[in-house]
Amino acid sequence: MAKKTYIQAITDALDIVLEDDPKTLIFGEDVGKNGGVFRTTQGLQEKYGEDRVFDTPLAESGILGLATGLGLTGWRPIPEIQFMGFSFEAVDQIAGQLSRMRFRFDGLKTAPVTIRTPYGGGTHTAEMHADNLENFFTGIPGLRVVMPSNPYDAKGLLISSVENNDPVLFMENLKLYRSMKDDIPDGKYTVPLDKANVIREGNDITIVAYGAEVNEALKVADTLAEKNVSVEVIDLRTVSPIDTETIFKSIEKTHKVVIVQEAQKMAGVGAQVASAIAEDAILSLDAPIGRVAAPNSVYPFALGEDIWIPRAKEIEEKVNEILNY
Amino acid sequence: MANKTIVDFEAIKNNLSNVSKPIQVLNENAEITNQEIFDTFSDDDLVEFMKKMVWERALHEQTMNFSRQGRMGFYAPTEGEEASEMGTVLAMKKQDYLLPAYRDVPQLIQHGATVTEAYLWSRGHVVGNKFKARSMMPQIIIGAAYVEAAGVGLGIKKNKEEDTIAFTYTGDGGTSQGDSYEGMNFAGAYQAPVLFIVQNNGFAISTPRVKQTAAPTLAQKAVAAGIPSVQVDGMDILACYAVAKAARDYMVAGNGPVMIETLTYRFGAHSSAGDDPKRYRTKDQEQPWFEKDPLIRLRKILTDKGLWSEEQEDKLTDEYKASFKDAIKEADSVPADTVSDMLKRTFEIPTPEMKKEIDKFEAKESK
């Protein structure tokens, strides 16, 4: 057991899967000698050699085409897309190819590929580096989308993703990379790919969140606890699939829900959660579904992020509104 | 004003057109234009080549018949491309990987899929993709096979598989897609054993080759990625086979990728789904290519040698067509797919939500 950052937890997981399974391969832009632009793969090429951990030419479709082909020849690729905004270059390989392999071949050929990629706002990057693109990628059948909110989950979810025999898009939150530390057990452990986590128990209202917004929701829970309001916080952990059972169980108890996401409000994860509740659990509620999401503009330039991304303040306002309905 | 004294760009551009003539063994008049390569073939080889082209022509004719009867789904006609397709695929070994495009169904069958599976692929049934061959399904996205082939080639290399390479196909239109460059560039960077084949049949649906790119040849597109490439007379099966075999030998000796551009022609429509070539090309433009029909030149050589006859060819064609009729009957007997199976095929471990969907459809389907 040691205190580790989100990045260190990911490096730890990669080290374990490289050690455990000689068929795993890590590749992407600058992941070799440089250890990745965030040092997530630091030391891995040195330890496992250039055959297992290697740099690629600068082309995302090529990187994921490589993953599809390596998967066909018996390898278990863990490609990195350096920033999630660059994944648009590889949409055919993700949506048109990798995610369809099992379906196409009825399991005779598969794509056991875990795509790692950093995303998320608040660190004032250049354009196309920070967008929350899960709204886009959760619309792809055959692809799991994983968004850990803390170092412990990051390690356990990444090991589960690599061991899964289907493609997984593993989204690493940029803002969380070095901003928090958890006690991380040494060695291997897994966190399931279809189970949300009730990260804080409460009775008065449920906040459903994922990624960096989980910490914001926990801040709100702390603030409201001082006012004797008991908030339950659910961390989705995976946004495809979404564990609706855990959400329904919670709102049966609290009768109120606020769904929080850092992404734009349109056509996305929060909308999916709201629709699932409306379809199958609406009678548990005694107030409208509350939603907190980013505005439906294009993702802002760096200087616009602070007024655009919803954080604890906006969540608290919405929670109070629903509580006082 | 152009200043030639700094850089003569016009001269550099003009120099791009100085390329070697396409490799040819037998010209359209059945004259041997490369005796050295021709002498590498035995009489039996020549007969085998002819049989394969007759097989592909028969497959095309019978499939078009089925198509007119409404018994096929998507079909991309192959008439005219027999030398390019059979010549290259005959250079493959069973352990090689194939990444075909949608017009390369005959190669997929040669590499181990059954005709029944090919027909089911055309109709849109999953059993059509359940062939045992080391092959992807015919790729619809025209550049995708190239990036995937780079990965297959690298996988072969990492597996240390001896005497094994990847074959992949696209068309003249496919070379315009960014993926075709990315795939070649990756394979070049890793020196992965991939044979990139461009079947330049003159048209990307209706868009002629000259509108596709300013590059004088498509073979040149490999040069920028550091890959040796060559143009071949795609109506000459002897040249297509010889070059594909030479490329394969070069790669199994431990070398990196090769690209071949075959100069061929699609005699018919882009697909059987309503494309009409009369909209974009004239009879006068087509006629010279019809005269280059790959079957004509080899048939003449073989007939002159006393190794082939019209009766023999007719008999073979009838036999092949009879086997295709058996194949489509077999395809007819495959049970229809179910929605619950579609859901089950999506993930190895269904998500909780999908489990409910599966239960729902299974209940419906059992009624």
Side-chain angles (χ1 to χ4, degrees), chain A residues 23 51 55 61-62 73 75 93 97 102 104 106 109 144 165-166, chain B residues 129-130 135 137 139 148 155 158-159 179 182 190 345 348-349 353:
Chain A
K23 285 301 200 181
D51 262 0
D55 291 325
S61 187
T73 48
W75 295 90
Q93 278 302 315
Q97 309 299 331
R102 176 176 298 282
R104 277 172 172 162
D106 197 9
K109 299 179 177 78
R144 291 174 197 271
N165 291 326
D166 290 314
Chain B
N129 280 348
K130 294 185 75 173
S135 178
M137 75 296 148
Q139 181 58 259
E148 290 160 1
K158 286 188 180 296
N159 284 329
D179 270 2
E182 287 189 28
Y190 297 119
R345 285 201 285 277
E348 182 183 43
I349 306 157
E353 206 66 26

PDB file of all heavy atoms in Angstrom, chain A residues 23 51 55 61-62 73 75 93 97 102 104 106 109 144 165-166, chain B residues 129-130 135 137 139 148 155 158-159 179 182 190 345 348-349 353:
ATOM      1  N   LYS A  23       1.391 -10.906 -24.067  1.00  0.00           N
ATOM      2  CA  LYS A  23       0.795 -10.476 -25.333  1.00  0.00           C
ATOM      3  C   LYS A  23       0.383  -8.996 -25.310  1.00  0.00           C
ATOM      4  O   LYS A  23      -0.060  -8.459 -26.327  1.00  0.00           O
ATOM      5  CB  LYS A  23      -0.429 -11.337 -25.658  1.00  0.00           C
ATOM      6  CG  LYS A  23      -0.062 -12.737 -26.148  1.00  0.00           C
ATOM      7  CD  LYS A  23       0.791 -12.659 -27.406  1.00  0.00           C
ATOM      8  CE  LYS A  23       0.790 -13.940 -28.204  1.00  0.00           C
ATOM      9  NZ  LYS A  23       1.650 -13.812 -29.401  1.00  0.00           N
ATOM     10  N   ASP A  51      10.116  -3.935 -28.012  1.00  0.00           N
ATOM     11  CA  ASP A  51       9.142  -4.797 -28.677  1.00  0.00           C
ATOM     12  C   ASP A  51       7.760  -4.653 -28.049  1.00  0.00           C
ATOM     13  O   ASP A  51       6.746  -4.832 -28.714  1.00  0.00           O
ATOM     14  CB  ASP A  51       9.578  -6.272 -28.555  1.00  0.00           C
ATOM     15  CG  ASP A  51      10.295  -6.741 -29.798  1.00  0.00           C
ATOM     16  OD1 ASP A  51      10.440  -5.923 -30.726  1.00  0.00           O
ATOM     17  OD2 ASP A  51      10.705  -7.912 -29.823  1.00  0.00           O
ATOM     18  N   ASP A  55       7.114   3.642 -29.758  1.00  0.00           N
ATOM     19  CA  ASP A  55       6.588   4.872 -30.357  1.00  0.00           C
ATOM     20  C   ASP A  55       5.986   4.592 -31.728  1.00  0.00           C
ATOM     21  O   ASP A  55       6.396   3.655 -32.414  1.00  0.00           O
ATOM     22  CB  ASP A  55       7.713   5.896 -30.525  1.00  0.00           C
ATOM     23  CG  ASP A  55       8.202   6.414 -29.184  1.00  0.00           C
ATOM     24  OD1 ASP A  55       7.373   6.545 -28.269  1.00  0.00           O
ATOM     25  OD2 ASP A  55       9.413   6.677 -29.060  1.00  0.00           O
ATOM     26  N   SER A  61      -5.302   7.414 -36.808  1.00  0.00           N
ATOM     27  CA  SER A  61      -5.970   6.310 -37.489  1.00  0.00           C
ATOM     28  C   SER A  61      -4.977   5.167 -37.687  1.00  0.00           C
ATOM     29  O   SER A  61      -5.320   3.988 -37.532  1.00  0.00           O
ATOM     30  CB  SER A  61      -6.538   6.768 -38.838  1.00  0.00           C
ATOM     31  OG  SER A  61      -7.313   5.752 -39.403  1.00  0.00           O
ATOM     32  N   GLY A  62      -3.746   5.521 -38.001  1.00  0.00           N
ATOM     33  CA  GLY A  62      -2.693   4.511 -38.127  1.00  0.00           C
ATOM     34  C   GLY A  62      -2.476   3.765 -36.820  1.00  0.00           C
ATOM     35  O   GLY A  62      -2.327   2.543 -36.803  1.00  0.00           O
ATOM     36  N   THR A  73      -3.786 -10.706 -34.952  1.00  0.00           N
ATOM     37  CA  THR A  73      -2.671 -11.653 -34.943  1.00  0.00           C
ATOM     38  C   THR A  73      -2.333 -12.119 -33.523  1.00  0.00           C
ATOM     39  O   THR A  73      -1.234 -12.587 -33.274  1.00  0.00           O
ATOM     40  CB  THR A  73      -1.419 -11.025 -35.603  1.00  0.00           C
ATOM     41  OG1 THR A  73      -1.202  -9.719 -35.052  1.00  0.00           O
ATOM     42  CG2 THR A  73      -1.596 -10.899 -37.099  1.00  0.00           C
ATOM     43  N   TRP A  75      -2.367 -10.371 -30.481  1.00  0.00           N
ATOM     44  CA  TRP A  75      -1.819  -9.476 -29.462  1.00  0.00           C
ATOM     45  C   TRP A  75      -2.940  -8.776 -28.703  1.00  0.00           C
ATOM     46  O   TRP A  75      -4.097  -8.775 -29.131  1.00  0.00           O
ATOM     47  CB  TRP A  75      -0.864  -8.462 -30.109  1.00  0.00           C
ATOM     48  CG  TRP A  75       0.332  -9.162 -30.668  1.00  0.00           C
ATOM     49  CD1 TRP A  75       0.467  -9.665 -31.935  1.00  0.00           C
ATOM     50  CD2 TRP A  75       1.527  -9.512 -29.975  1.00  0.00           C
ATOM     51  NE1 TRP A  75       1.683 -10.298 -32.071  1.00  0.00           N
ATOM     52  CE2 TRP A  75       2.355 -10.216 -30.891  1.00  0.00           C
ATOM     53  CE3 TRP A  75       1.995  -9.290 -28.673  1.00  0.00           C
ATOM     54  CZ2 TRP A  75       3.613 -10.701 -30.533  1.00  0.00           C
ATOM     55  CZ3 TRP A  75       3.255  -9.773 -28.323  1.00  0.00           C
ATOM     56  CH2 TRP A  75       4.052 -10.468 -29.241  1.00  0.00           C
ATOM     57  N   GLN A  93     -11.616   3.841 -37.276  1.00  0.00           N
ATOM     58  CA  GLN A  93     -11.030   2.664 -36.628  1.00  0.00           C
ATOM     59  C   GLN A  93     -11.742   2.333 -35.313  1.00  0.00           C
ATOM     60  O   GLN A  93     -11.915   1.163 -34.988  1.00  0.00           O
ATOM     61  CB  GLN A  93      -9.521   2.851 -36.406  1.00  0.00           C
ATOM     62  CG  GLN A  93      -8.692   2.537 -37.645  1.00  0.00           C
ATOM     63  CD  GLN A  93      -8.899   1.122 -38.167  1.00  0.00           C
ATOM     64  OE1 GLN A  93      -8.923   0.159 -37.408  1.00  0.00           O
ATOM     65  NE2 GLN A  93      -9.080   0.983 -39.467  1.00  0.00           N
ATOM     66  N   GLN A  97     -14.565   0.034 -37.092  1.00  0.00           N
ATOM     67  CA  GLN A  97     -13.798  -1.217 -37.174  1.00  0.00           C
ATOM     68  C   GLN A  97     -13.701  -1.932 -35.821  1.00  0.00           C
ATOM     69  O   GLN A  97     -14.358  -2.941 -35.616  1.00  0.00           O
ATOM     70  CB  GLN A  97     -12.397  -0.928 -37.744  1.00  0.00           C
ATOM     71  CG  GLN A  97     -12.409  -0.108 -39.045  1.00  0.00           C
ATOM     72  CD  GLN A  97     -13.127  -0.774 -40.214  1.00  0.00           C
ATOM     73  OE1 GLN A  97     -13.181  -2.003 -40.300  1.00  0.00           O
ATOM     74  NE2 GLN A  97     -13.715   0.014 -41.115  1.00  0.00           N
ATOM     75  N   ARG A 102     -16.155  -8.233 -32.879  1.00  0.00           N
ATOM     76  CA  ARG A 102     -16.822  -9.406 -32.325  1.00  0.00           C
ATOM     77  C   ARG A 102     -18.143  -9.666 -33.049  1.00  0.00           C
ATOM     78  O   ARG A 102     -18.457 -10.799 -33.403  1.00  0.00           O
ATOM     79  CB  ARG A 102     -17.078  -9.216 -30.823  1.00  0.00           C
ATOM     80  CG  ARG A 102     -17.856 -10.368 -30.191  1.00  0.00           C
ATOM     81  CD  ARG A 102     -18.001 -10.183 -28.696  1.00  0.00           C
ATOM     82  NE  ARG A 102     -16.698 -10.163 -28.053  1.00  0.00           N
ATOM     83  CZ  ARG A 102     -15.967 -11.256 -27.790  1.00  0.00           C
ATOM     84  NH1 ARG A 102     -16.424 -12.457 -28.107  1.00  0.00           N
ATOM     85  NH2 ARG A 102     -14.789 -11.157 -27.210  1.00  0.00           N
ATOM     86  N   ARG A 104     -19.111  -8.689 -36.088  1.00  0.00           N
ATOM     87  CA  ARG A 104     -18.904  -9.119 -37.468  1.00  0.00           C
ATOM     88  C   ARG A 104     -18.584 -10.595 -37.587  1.00  0.00           C
ATOM     89  O   ARG A 104     -19.052 -11.282 -38.474  1.00  0.00           O
ATOM     90  CB  ARG A 104     -17.673  -8.400 -38.036  1.00  0.00           C
ATOM     91  CG  ARG A 104     -17.906  -7.044 -38.560  1.00  0.00           C
ATOM     92  CD  ARG A 104     -16.551  -6.457 -38.881  1.00  0.00           C
ATOM     93  NE  ARG A 104     -16.715  -5.197 -39.566  1.00  0.00           N
ATOM     94  CZ  ARG A 104     -15.756  -4.296 -39.679  1.00  0.00           C
ATOM     95  NH1 ARG A 104     -14.581  -4.526 -39.132  1.00  0.00           N
ATOM     96  NH2 ARG A 104     -15.964  -3.181 -40.320  1.00  0.00           N
ATOM     97  N   ASP A 106     -18.826 -12.961 -35.207  1.00  0.00           N
ATOM     98  CA  ASP A 106     -19.488 -13.796 -34.213  1.00  0.00           C
ATOM     99  C   ASP A 106     -18.461 -14.370 -33.234  1.00  0.00           C
ATOM    100  O   ASP A 106     -18.518 -15.545 -32.875  1.00  0.00           O
ATOM    101  CB  ASP A 106     -20.264 -14.933 -34.917  1.00  0.00           C
ATOM    102  CG  ASP A 106     -21.296 -15.556 -33.973  1.00  0.00           C
ATOM    103  OD1 ASP A 106     -21.526 -15.014 -32.877  1.00  0.00           O
ATOM    104  OD2 ASP A 106     -21.864 -16.606 -34.335  1.00  0.00           O
ATOM    105  N   LYS A 109     -13.172 -13.645 -34.487  1.00  0.00           N
ATOM    106  CA  LYS A 109     -12.081 -12.672 -34.438  1.00  0.00           C
ATOM    107  C   LYS A 109     -12.554 -11.548 -33.536  1.00  0.00           C
ATOM    108  O   LYS A 109     -13.729 -11.171 -33.591  1.00  0.00           O
ATOM    109  CB  LYS A 109     -11.760 -12.133 -35.843  1.00  0.00           C
ATOM    110  CG  LYS A 109     -11.305 -13.209 -36.813  1.00  0.00           C
ATOM    111  CD  LYS A 109     -11.010 -12.634 -38.203  1.00  0.00           C
ATOM    112  CE  LYS A 109     -10.475 -13.682 -39.160  1.00  0.00           C
ATOM    113  NZ  LYS A 109     -11.519 -14.570 -39.705  1.00  0.00           N
ATOM    114  N   ARG A 144     -16.911  -0.163 -24.776  1.00  0.00           N
ATOM    115  CA  ARG A 144     -17.118   0.271 -23.391  1.00  0.00           C
ATOM    116  C   ARG A 144     -16.368   1.576 -23.168  1.00  0.00           C
ATOM    117  O   ARG A 144     -15.274   1.757 -23.716  1.00  0.00           O
ATOM    118  CB  ARG A 144     -16.588  -0.788 -22.415  1.00  0.00           C
ATOM    119  CG  ARG A 144     -17.406  -2.062 -22.400  1.00  0.00           C
ATOM    120  CD  ARG A 144     -16.746  -3.122 -21.525  1.00  0.00           C
ATOM    121  NE  ARG A 144     -17.300  -4.417 -21.826  1.00  0.00           N
ATOM    122  CZ  ARG A 144     -18.385  -4.929 -21.220  1.00  0.00           C
ATOM    123  NH1 ARG A 144     -18.983  -4.258 -20.252  1.00  0.00           N
ATOM    124  NH2 ARG A 144     -18.839  -6.116 -21.560  1.00  0.00           N
ATOM    125  N   ASN A 165     -12.070  -8.802 -23.114  1.00  0.00           N
ATOM    126  CA  ASN A 165     -11.776  -9.219 -24.494  1.00  0.00           C
ATOM    127  C   ASN A 165     -12.461  -8.372 -25.557  1.00  0.00           C
ATOM    128  O   ASN A 165     -12.488  -8.749 -26.731  1.00  0.00           O
ATOM    129  CB  ASN A 165     -12.153 -10.690 -24.677  1.00  0.00           C
ATOM    130  CG  ASN A 165     -11.224 -11.601 -23.902  1.00  0.00           C
ATOM    131  OD1 ASN A 165     -10.033 -11.298 -23.770  1.00  0.00           O
ATOM    132  ND2 ASN A 165     -11.750 -12.685 -23.364  1.00  0.00           N
ATOM    133  N   ASP A 166     -13.051  -7.260 -25.157  1.00  0.00           N
ATOM    134  CA  ASP A 166     -13.686  -6.337 -26.102  1.00  0.00           C
ATOM    135  C   ASP A 166     -13.006  -4.967 -25.994  1.00  0.00           C
ATOM    136  O   ASP A 166     -12.322  -4.685 -25.021  1.00  0.00           O
ATOM    137  CB  ASP A 166     -15.180  -6.216 -25.790  1.00  0.00           C
ATOM    138  CG  ASP A 166     -15.920  -7.500 -26.138  1.00  0.00           C
ATOM    139  OD1 ASP A 166     -15.679  -8.032 -27.239  1.00  0.00           O
ATOM    140  OD2 ASP A 166     -16.708  -7.985 -25.311  1.00  0.00           O
TER     141      ASP A 166
ATOM    142  N   ASN B 129     -19.369 -14.193 -42.646  1.00  0.00           N
ATOM    143  CA  ASN B 129     -18.081 -13.759 -42.092  1.00  0.00           C
ATOM    144  C   ASN B 129     -17.417 -14.838 -41.250  1.00  0.00           C
ATOM    145  O   ASN B 129     -16.362 -14.599 -40.665  1.00  0.00           O
ATOM    146  CB  ASN B 129     -18.267 -12.521 -41.209  1.00  0.00           C
ATOM    147  CG  ASN B 129     -18.381 -11.248 -42.020  1.00  0.00           C
ATOM    148  OD1 ASN B 129     -18.111 -11.246 -43.218  1.00  0.00           O
ATOM    149  ND2 ASN B 129     -18.794 -10.174 -41.379  1.00  0.00           N
ATOM    150  N   LYS B 130     -18.031 -16.024 -41.203  1.00  0.00           N
ATOM    151  CA  LYS B 130     -17.490 -17.040 -40.299  1.00  0.00           C
ATOM    152  C   LYS B 130     -16.561 -18.026 -41.006  1.00  0.00           C
ATOM    153  O   LYS B 130     -16.408 -19.162 -40.595  1.00  0.00           O
ATOM    154  CB  LYS B 130     -18.642 -17.749 -39.577  1.00  0.00           C
ATOM    155  CG  LYS B 130     -19.379 -16.771 -38.643  1.00  0.00           C
ATOM    156  CD  LYS B 130     -20.442 -17.433 -37.813  1.00  0.00           C
ATOM    157  CE  LYS B 130     -19.836 -18.247 -36.695  1.00  0.00           C
ATOM    158  NZ  LYS B 130     -20.883 -18.756 -35.776  1.00  0.00           N
ATOM    159  N   SER B 135      -8.334 -14.172 -42.729  1.00  0.00           N
ATOM    160  CA  SER B 135      -8.724 -13.023 -43.541  1.00  0.00           C
ATOM    161  C   SER B 135      -9.714 -12.147 -42.790  1.00  0.00           C
ATOM    162  O   SER B 135     -10.511 -12.638 -41.991  1.00  0.00           O
ATOM    163  CB  SER B 135      -9.366 -13.492 -44.846  1.00  0.00           C
ATOM    164  OG  SER B 135      -9.777 -12.382 -45.618  1.00  0.00           O
ATOM    165  N   MET B 137     -13.040  -9.623 -43.287  1.00  0.00           N
ATOM    166  CA  MET B 137     -14.146  -9.658 -44.253  1.00  0.00           C
ATOM    167  C   MET B 137     -13.838  -8.614 -45.329  1.00  0.00           C
ATOM    168  O   MET B 137     -12.983  -7.755 -45.134  1.00  0.00           O
ATOM    169  CB  MET B 137     -15.488  -9.381 -43.550  1.00  0.00           C
ATOM    170  CG  MET B 137     -15.754  -7.956 -43.146  1.00  0.00           C
ATOM    171  SD  MET B 137     -14.596  -7.350 -41.923  1.00  0.00           S
ATOM    172  CE  MET B 137     -14.515  -5.628 -42.365  1.00  0.00           C
ATOM    173  N   GLN B 139     -13.614  -5.392 -46.950  1.00  0.00           N
ATOM    174  CA  GLN B 139     -13.705  -4.091 -46.270  1.00  0.00           C
ATOM    175  C   GLN B 139     -14.521  -3.112 -47.114  1.00  0.00           C
ATOM    176  O   GLN B 139     -14.316  -3.013 -48.328  1.00  0.00           O
ATOM    177  CB  GLN B 139     -12.285  -3.562 -46.039  1.00  0.00           C
ATOM    178  CG  GLN B 139     -12.174  -2.239 -45.324  1.00  0.00           C
ATOM    179  CD  GLN B 139     -12.809  -2.208 -43.940  1.00  0.00           C
ATOM    180  OE1 GLN B 139     -13.924  -1.693 -43.783  1.00  0.00           O
ATOM    181  NE2 GLN B 139     -12.144  -2.764 -42.950  1.00  0.00           N
ATOM    182  N   GLU B 148      -5.042  -1.391 -41.120  1.00  0.00           N
ATOM    183  CA  GLU B 148      -5.124  -2.652 -40.381  1.00  0.00           C
ATOM    184  C   GLU B 148      -4.040  -3.626 -40.851  1.00  0.00           C
ATOM    185  O   GLU B 148      -3.469  -4.371 -40.054  1.00  0.00           O
ATOM    186  CB  GLU B 148      -6.523  -3.258 -40.554  1.00  0.00           C
ATOM    187  CG  GLU B 148      -7.572  -2.436 -39.814  1.00  0.00           C
ATOM    188  CD  GLU B 148      -9.004  -2.661 -40.298  1.00  0.00           C
ATOM    189  OE1 GLU B 148      -9.212  -3.480 -41.213  1.00  0.00           O
ATOM    190  OE2 GLU B 148      -9.901  -2.004 -39.748  1.00  0.00           O
ATOM    191  N   GLY B 155       2.208  -7.619 -36.423  1.00  0.00           N
ATOM    192  CA  GLY B 155       1.883  -8.782 -35.590  1.00  0.00           C
ATOM    193  C   GLY B 155       2.611 -10.036 -36.078  1.00  0.00           C
ATOM    194  O   GLY B 155       3.154 -10.800 -35.279  1.00  0.00           O
ATOM    195  N   LYS B 158       6.172  -9.656 -35.001  1.00  0.00           N
ATOM    196  CA  LYS B 158       6.334  -9.879 -33.560  1.00  0.00           C
ATOM    197  C   LYS B 158       6.134 -11.349 -33.190  1.00  0.00           C
ATOM    198  O   LYS B 158       6.751 -11.847 -32.257  1.00  0.00           O
ATOM    199  CB  LYS B 158       5.351  -9.005 -32.772  1.00  0.00           C
ATOM    200  CG  LYS B 158       5.757  -7.545 -32.748  1.00  0.00           C
ATOM    201  CD  LYS B 158       4.870  -6.748 -31.806  1.00  0.00           C
ATOM    202  CE  LYS B 158       5.288  -5.293 -31.780  1.00  0.00           C
ATOM    203  NZ  LYS B 158       6.659  -5.092 -31.246  1.00  0.00           N
ATOM    204  N   ASN B 159       5.253 -12.031 -33.925  1.00  0.00           N
ATOM    205  CA  ASN B 159       5.032 -13.460 -33.676  1.00  0.00           C
ATOM    206  C   ASN B 159       6.167 -14.320 -34.229  1.00  0.00           C
ATOM    207  O   ASN B 159       6.182 -15.525 -34.023  1.00  0.00           O
ATOM    208  CB  ASN B 159       3.717 -13.917 -34.332  1.00  0.00           C
ATOM    209  CG  ASN B 159       2.497 -13.469 -33.563  1.00  0.00           C
ATOM    210  OD1 ASN B 159       2.530 -13.344 -32.350  1.00  0.00           O
ATOM    211  ND2 ASN B 159       1.400 -13.234 -34.269  1.00  0.00           N
ATOM    212  N   ASP B 179      -6.017   7.133 -44.928  1.00  0.00           N
ATOM    213  CA  ASP B 179      -5.640   5.856 -44.324  1.00  0.00           C
ATOM    214  C   ASP B 179      -4.692   5.048 -45.207  1.00  0.00           C
ATOM    215  O   ASP B 179      -3.886   4.282 -44.692  1.00  0.00           O
ATOM    216  CB  ASP B 179      -6.894   5.011 -44.043  1.00  0.00           C
ATOM    217  CG  ASP B 179      -7.449   5.280 -42.645  1.00  0.00           C
ATOM    218  OD1 ASP B 179      -6.884   6.130 -41.927  1.00  0.00           O
ATOM    219  OD2 ASP B 179      -8.443   4.630 -42.273  1.00  0.00           O
ATOM    220  N   GLU B 182      -1.379   6.405 -44.333  1.00  0.00           N
ATOM    221  CA  GLU B 182      -1.011   6.058 -42.952  1.00  0.00           C
ATOM    222  C   GLU B 182      -0.610   4.586 -42.859  1.00  0.00           C
ATOM    223  O   GLU B 182       0.354   4.232 -42.183  1.00  0.00           O
ATOM    224  CB  GLU B 182      -2.158   6.365 -41.978  1.00  0.00           C
ATOM    225  CG  GLU B 182      -2.332   7.859 -41.734  1.00  0.00           C
ATOM    226  CD  GLU B 182      -3.311   8.202 -40.602  1.00  0.00           C
ATOM    227  OE1 GLU B 182      -3.475   7.398 -39.672  1.00  0.00           O
ATOM    228  OE2 GLU B 182      -3.902   9.296 -40.661  1.00  0.00           O
ATOM    229  N   TYR B 190       7.845   0.342 -39.581  1.00  0.00           N
ATOM    230  CA  TYR B 190       8.145  -0.881 -38.818  1.00  0.00           C
ATOM    231  C   TYR B 190       8.726  -1.989 -39.695  1.00  0.00           C
ATOM    232  O   TYR B 190       8.947  -3.090 -39.216  1.00  0.00           O
ATOM    233  CB  TYR B 190       6.875  -1.388 -38.116  1.00  0.00           C
ATOM    234  CG  TYR B 190       6.317  -0.422 -37.090  1.00  0.00           C
ATOM    235  CD1 TYR B 190       5.047   0.107 -37.216  1.00  0.00           C
ATOM    236  CD2 TYR B 190       7.089  -0.044 -35.994  1.00  0.00           C
ATOM    237  CE1 TYR B 190       4.543   1.001 -36.275  1.00  0.00           C
ATOM    238  CE2 TYR B 190       6.594   0.849 -35.048  1.00  0.00           C
ATOM    239  CZ  TYR B 190       5.321   1.368 -35.203  1.00  0.00           C
ATOM    240  OH  TYR B 190       4.830   2.249 -34.274  1.00  0.00           O
ATOM    241  N   ARG B 345     -23.804 -11.030 -29.726  1.00  0.00           N
ATOM    242  CA  ARG B 345     -22.532 -10.906 -30.445  1.00  0.00           C
ATOM    243  C   ARG B 345     -21.822  -9.581 -30.178  1.00  0.00           C
ATOM    244  O   ARG B 345     -20.690  -9.398 -30.591  1.00  0.00           O
ATOM    245  CB  ARG B 345     -22.784 -10.974 -31.959  1.00  0.00           C
ATOM    246  CG  ARG B 345     -23.096 -12.325 -32.493  1.00  0.00           C
ATOM    247  CD  ARG B 345     -22.820 -12.382 -33.976  1.00  0.00           C
ATOM    248  NE  ARG B 345     -23.805 -11.713 -34.788  1.00  0.00           N
ATOM    249  CZ  ARG B 345     -24.953 -12.249 -35.166  1.00  0.00           C
ATOM    250  NH1 ARG B 345     -25.279 -13.453 -34.767  1.00  0.00           N
ATOM    251  NH2 ARG B 345     -25.781 -11.582 -35.929  1.00  0.00           N
ATOM    252  N   GLU B 348     -18.564  -9.867 -25.407  1.00  0.00           N
ATOM    253  CA  GLU B 348     -18.369 -11.219 -24.861  1.00  0.00           C
ATOM    254  C   GLU B 348     -19.228 -11.379 -23.601  1.00  0.00           C
ATOM    255  O   GLU B 348     -19.914 -12.376 -23.431  1.00  0.00           O
ATOM    256  CB  GLU B 348     -16.900 -11.441 -24.520  1.00  0.00           C
ATOM    257  CG  GLU B 348     -16.633 -12.839 -23.985  1.00  0.00           C
ATOM    258  CD  GLU B 348     -15.176 -13.036 -23.583  1.00  0.00           C
ATOM    259  OE1 GLU B 348     -14.585 -12.133 -22.948  1.00  0.00           O
ATOM    260  OE2 GLU B 348     -14.627 -14.087 -23.907  1.00  0.00           O
ATOM    261  N   ILE B 349     -19.162 -10.371 -22.725  1.00  0.00           N
ATOM    262  CA  ILE B 349     -19.983 -10.379 -21.516  1.00  0.00           C
ATOM    263  C   ILE B 349     -21.037  -9.286 -21.692  1.00  0.00           C
ATOM    264  O   ILE B 349     -20.709  -8.097 -21.659  1.00  0.00           O
ATOM    265  CB  ILE B 349     -19.120 -10.067 -20.272  1.00  0.00           C
ATOM    266  CG1 ILE B 349     -17.934 -11.044 -20.218  1.00  0.00           C
ATOM    267  CG2 ILE B 349     -19.953 -10.116 -18.996  1.00  0.00           C
ATOM    268  CD1 ILE B 349     -16.761 -10.519 -19.402  1.00  0.00           C
ATOM    269  N   GLU B 353     -27.823  -4.014 -19.000  1.00  0.00           N
ATOM    270  CA  GLU B 353     -28.913  -3.496 -19.829  1.00  0.00           C
ATOM    271  C   GLU B 353     -29.184  -4.432 -21.014  1.00  0.00           C
ATOM    272  O   GLU B 353     -30.328  -4.704 -21.368  1.00  0.00           O
ATOM    273  CB  GLU B 353     -28.506  -2.105 -20.345  1.00  0.00           C
ATOM    274  CG  GLU B 353     -29.644  -1.186 -20.661  1.00  0.00           C
ATOM    275  CD  GLU B 353     -30.436  -0.804 -19.407  1.00  0.00           C
ATOM    276  OE1 GLU B 353     -29.877  -0.811 -18.283  1.00  0.00           O
ATOM    277  OE2 GLU B 353     -31.616  -0.508 -19.578  1.00  0.00           O
TER     278      GLU B 353
END
